[in-house]
Amino acid sequence: MQPELLHFAHRFDAVSGSAIREIFKVIAQPGMISFAGGNPSLAALPDQQVSDLAVKVLAENGKAILQYGATEGYPAFVESLHSYASDMLGGPVPAVLPVTGSTQAMDLLCKAFIDPGDVILVENPSFLGNLQCMKLYQANIIPVESDDEGLLISDLEQKVLEHHPKMLYTIPTFQNPTGRTLSLLRRKEIAALAARYHFIVAEDDPYRDLRYWGESLPTIKSFDQEGWVVFLGSFSKIISPGMRVGFIAGDPTIIRKCTVGKQSTDLHTANLTQAIVDQFLRQNLLPDHIRQICDDYRSKLSAMMGHLESFPAGVRFTRPEGGLFIWVELPEELDALKLLQQAIAGKVAYVPGTHFFVNGGHSNTLRLNFSNSTLEQIDTGMAILRELVAAAL
Ligand SMILES: Cc1ncc(COP(=O)(O)O)c(C=O)c1O
């Protein structure tokens, strides 16, 4: 069959597949040091604990776990998730829905709210995976300016008045890809703007527990009096991305719409992984586990920032207090896409920043991940990158 005879839906017109997925093919090469991707370190994945918990839950409730379940979630998990989310969000949460990774949360929110041409406001740069989701729902994606404290409220309000958005998508804590964190004041202001102008805030916060320094900030959702903010949570970065467990928390009417939307997507999130995460919550296993992960990632982040200090003058970078990423701006004349070819030849990979911008450009930027490399790999890889940048200037 000739591919040109296939008439794919127009929703794919603006979607070409994730650039990071292409880079993943390269980083699979032996000997490659990867600062691309956003994977937890292998040491952070609790395989033995998960195995023990799987044996336990299957012994106790195996038949129900292996049977079809409710779209609303595995009952025990819905209960423990409710109190987990209420603690996180600073008060009782009206409704929660377990989902198949928070990636699915975004898909369901778009399914519930976005008709072709509807406006979604986003940070620029932003998380590629969810930008792709918005494109598949044929949203009109409008970028909002940010600075080191996150979204600029004046620009946000102006864009709200100009474009009447259905939704704002934001990653307030240790943002992907910049590592930036939205200030407390701006969190309050965003909740207030959403209530004043009636748009949904999709608060995507998968990195909030990966804090290595400083004080945790309240969620935007905790300042939401009327239900305009929907919180997207994930266990990918603190237990396992392969288990695919996340959640949506918010207004019951919105959660109900997402539940109906989920029925035709995957019927329900796997009972077994919901039951395992339930045990993590019930047995209070997360605090110790997160502490161990944070100790490891803190030293890696410090090491990577230490190396960046010694890069040539004109190289600027963010100094996140947590999360998985550092954002680097090279001098204007350098092209991180071109440099990537040389880096890969030297067995180091990163993601060029241009991929994260709504309209491309910003070719002098790149994103570095530190969690998935050893300290030795960080030393070796960053020395190679420093040489490349110095040689290109
Ligand atoms: C900002 C952001 N949201 C969502 C996700 C996806 O999370 P999940 O594995 O829960 O689908 C990621 C993963 O990298 C992310 O960076």
Side-chain angles (χ1 to χ4, degrees), residues 38 100-104 127 130 169 171 175-176 204-207 233-237 241 244-246 325 367:
T100 305
S102 66
T103 297
Q104 186 179 63
F127 170 49
N130 282 347
Y169 170 67
I171 308 158
Q175 200 244 12
N176 181 0
D204 186 13
D205 212 8
Y207 300 108
S234 175
F235 294 96
S236 287
K237 313 294 176 176
R244 311 304 303 131
V245 182
F325 307 110
R367 189 192 74 176

Side-chain angles (χ1 to χ4, degrees), residues 79-95:
E79 190 183 85
S80 58
L81 181 61
H82 224 277
S83 70
Y84 173 76
S86 298
D87 286 351
M88 182 175 276
L89 302 179
V93 170

Side-chain angles (χ1 to χ4, degrees), residues 103-223:
T103 297
Q104 186 179 63
M106 194 61 203
D107 189 71
L108 295 177
L109 271 185
C110 286
K111 203 180 208 183
F113 283 104
I114 302 302
D115 287 317
D118 281 347
V119 169
I120 305 181
L121 301 180
V122 298
E123 281 142 3
N124 199 28
S126 187
F127 170 49
L128 251 178
N130 282 347
L131 289 177
Q132 176 160 324
C133 169
M134 295 170 207
K135 287 179 190 165
L136 281 170
Y137 283 96
Q138 296 169 284
N140 180 10
I141 306 171
I142 305 283
V144 179
E145 298 300 323
S146 301
D147 64 13
D148 283 345
E149 293 188 14
L151 284 167
L152 280 174
I153 301 301
S154 55
D155 193 49
L156 174 61
E157 185 160 15
Q158 192 186 318
K159 299 267 166 67
V160 168
L161 291 170
E162 195 179 333
H163 297 284
H164 308 289
K166 273 266 182 81
M167 191 186 290
L168 164 70
Y169 170 67
T170 178
I171 308 158
T173 319
F174 315 133
Q175 200 244 12
N176 181 0
T178 62
R180 286 176 182 145
T181 292
L182 188 71
S183 71
L184 177 63
L185 179 62
R186 292 186 193 181
R187 287 169 190 246
K188 290 182 188 166
E189 288 174 326
I190 288 175
L193 281 182
R196 188 176 321 142
Y197 296 112
H198 299 174
F199 59 89
I200 295 295
V201 177
E203 179 179 22
D204 186 13
D205 212 8
Y207 300 108
R208 65 175 291 107
D209 288 327
L210 298 182
R211 177 172 275 284
Y212 319 133
W213 300 284
E215 288 296 307
S216 180
L217 289 174
T219 58
I220 303 172
K221 180 73 190 150
S222 66
F223 301 111

Side-chain angles (χ1 to χ4, degrees), residues 49 84 87 209-211 235 238-239 277-295 298:
Q49 228 170 355
Y84 173 76
D87 286 351
D209 288 327
L210 298 182
R211 177 172 275 284
F235 294 96
I238 51 173
I239 302 180
V277 176
D278 173 52
Q279 289 297 318
F280 266 90
L281 300 184
R282 273 172 205 275
Q283 297 187 32
N284 200 24
L285 301 175
L286 276 180
D288 272 352
H289 182 60
I290 290 174
R291 208 169 301 122
Q292 282 171 27
I293 302 176
C294 286
D295 286 347
R298 184 184 301 110

